[in-house]
Amino acid sequence: MNILFVIVHHWNPNGSGTHQSLRPDPLPRICALQSQINSLLRFGPNQSVFHLKDRAVYRSNLSLKNNISIQIVTDGVNHVLDKINPSFGQSFQHIKVDIINPKLLGFEAHKILAENLALDFDYYCFLEDDLILNDPLFFEKLKYFDSLMGPEYVLFPNRYEQPAFPHPVDILYIDGPLHESEFRFMKKDSNSTLVLPWYPESIPFCTPSNPHSGCFFLTKSQLEYWSSRSYWLDYDTSFISPLESSATLGVAKTFKIYKPCPDFASWFHVQHFGDSFHSLIQ
């Protein structure tokens, strides 16, 4: 597959401190972004097996390899791209946009995704800058869901945090239920639960009580359809904040969103870097 990742990245050391991106210490942002880029590169073609007999390296996972392109969107000033390890330098393209309100960077990422429609990527992916994809079959599962359900449906991953040390809660899924008034804009199916075959047992998918995942993954035809709607790039920020709105609202207005039901949450999930939500557990 050909996959485009567009990452929204911002770090302001003079910010309010409410998020890691608005605090003076750049290290958490550096670690998060490097971990994210590394996780995306693992979906690329550079995978090999070491032959002990002849001390040589040969390509592996040829049937699962992808061609990937990573673009990181910033305001050109407030970022840590000049601080990350130089070995990452050739792995992404830095897209600088002229914007007054950096909270709206996500909508600029929408523009960039659409500008790449002519390049025929199989998936057009939007990510906040602290998400790590650990499942090597992530896109195989996504393709499987899409092939069965069709373009009206979009699969969102469950977002989780994992502490660095053993804890009574080792995996915490952080996008718990919201009040219904928060997501009344969602397109909903008459069937709130879908069940799809998967070995060794079927997987149930639910209309989420919180659609946010900090990311979305659309086929070319889905992005073409969304970008043709009258509300495309309307900068609607009515879902929680501009950050959540750019990651969720437009997709939820356009498609029927599902996530794996809680009992099968790990079947399709992404890691949120750090423990900002996990640390709230009493």
Side-chain angles (χ1 to χ4, degrees):
M1 287 185 282
N2 297 314
I3 305 172
L4 171 64
F5 298 101
V6 175
I7 300 169
V8 182
H9 170 61
H10 182 74
W11 173 66
N12 181 1
N14 300 312
S16 64
T18 53
H19 301 283
Q20 288 286 1
S21 60
L22 302 175
R23 296 173 187 171
D25 183 6
L27 187 58
R29 291 297 86 200
I30 294 170
C31 292
L33 191 58
Q34 290 185 165
S35 297
Q36 180 178 53
I37 296 171
N38 236 351
S39 76
L40 302 183
L41 291 175
R42 292 179 188 134
F43 290 98
N46 299 326
Q47 304 182 39
S48 300
V49 57
F50 182 63
H51 281 213
L52 292 171
K53 183 176 69 172
D54 54 9
R55 297 296 192 269
V57 173
Y58 299 92
R59 290 298 188 194
S60 64
N61 283 327
L62 294 178
S63 296
L64 295 174
K65 72 176 183 178
N66 306 288
N67 297 311
I68 66 171
S69 177
I70 302 174
Q71 300 183 8
I72 301 179
V73 184
T74 78
D75 64 2
V77 177
N78 298 293
H79 59 80
V80 298
L81 296 184
D82 56 343
K83 303 178 188 299
I84 66 175
N85 191 302
S87 63
F88 287 95
Q90 302 302 314
S91 61
F92 63 86
Q93 180 183 3
H94 183 190
I95 308 293
K96 305 172 187 178
V97 297
D98 186 12
I99 190 169
I100 296 174
N101 183 358
K103 291 183 178 180
L104 301 177
L105 272 173
F107 295 97
E108 298 300 313
H110 296 176
K111 288 182 186 178
I112 293 164
L113 285 168
E115 288 169 0
N116 283 275
L117 278 169
L119 297 182
D120 289 331
F121 287 97
D122 295 292
Y123 280 102
Y124 291 78
C125 313
F126 171 106
L127 300 110
E128 295 176 353
D129 62 355
D130 54 6
L131 299 178
I132 302 168
L133 278 62
N134 290 317
D135 184 352
L137 295 180
F138 186 91
F139 284 97
E140 297 301 315
K141 293 175 180 179
L142 184 63
K143 183 170 67 172
Y144 173 73
F145 178 92
D146 290 341
S147 68
L148 293 181
M149 297 307 303
E152 293 182 36
Y153 296 80
V154 171
L155 180 61
F156 272 22
N158 290 300
R159 200 169 51 142
Y160 73 94
E161 285 184 351
Q162 185 171 1
F165 303 99
H167 187 279
V169 180
D170 285 323
I171 296 288
L172 178 68
Y173 289 95
I174 62 177
D175 297 305
L178 294 171
H179 192 278
E180 280 196 13
S181 62
E182 292 277 10
F183 55 98
R184 58 187 178 279
F185 51 80
M186 282 183 65
K187 289 189 69 169
K188 293 187 180 180
D189 204 345
S190 57
N191 185 1
S192 61
T193 303
L194 305 172
V195 180
L196 300 183
W198 185 262
Y199 182 82
E201 56 187 315
S202 297
I203 305 295
F205 302 86
C206 306
T207 300
S209 55
N210 181 347
H212 187 62
S213 294
C215 54
F216 59 75
F217 308 86
L218 302 180
T219 65
K220 179 181 179 181
S221 63
Q222 287 172 329
L223 182 58
E224 286 176 332
Y225 180 77
W226 177 23
S227 62
S228 70
R229 301 298 91 190
S230 60
Y231 48 84
W232 169 252
L233 290 177
D234 61 1
Y235 290 83
D236 183 354
T237 61
S238 60
F239 177 55
I240 303 179
S241 83
L243 304 181
E244 287 82 3
S245 294
S246 63
T248 304
L249 185 51
V251 179
K253 287 179 179 178
T254 310
F255 306 102
K256 298 169 183 176
I257 292 176
Y258 282 84
K259 293 182 180 181
C261 296
D263 283 349
F264 292 82
S266 65
W267 188 85
F268 193 68
H269 65 182
V270 297
Q271 183 177 359
H272 182 250
F273 183 86
D275 62 356
S276 56
F277 287 88
H278 201 281
S279 64
L280 300 176
I281 300 175
Q282 300 299 317

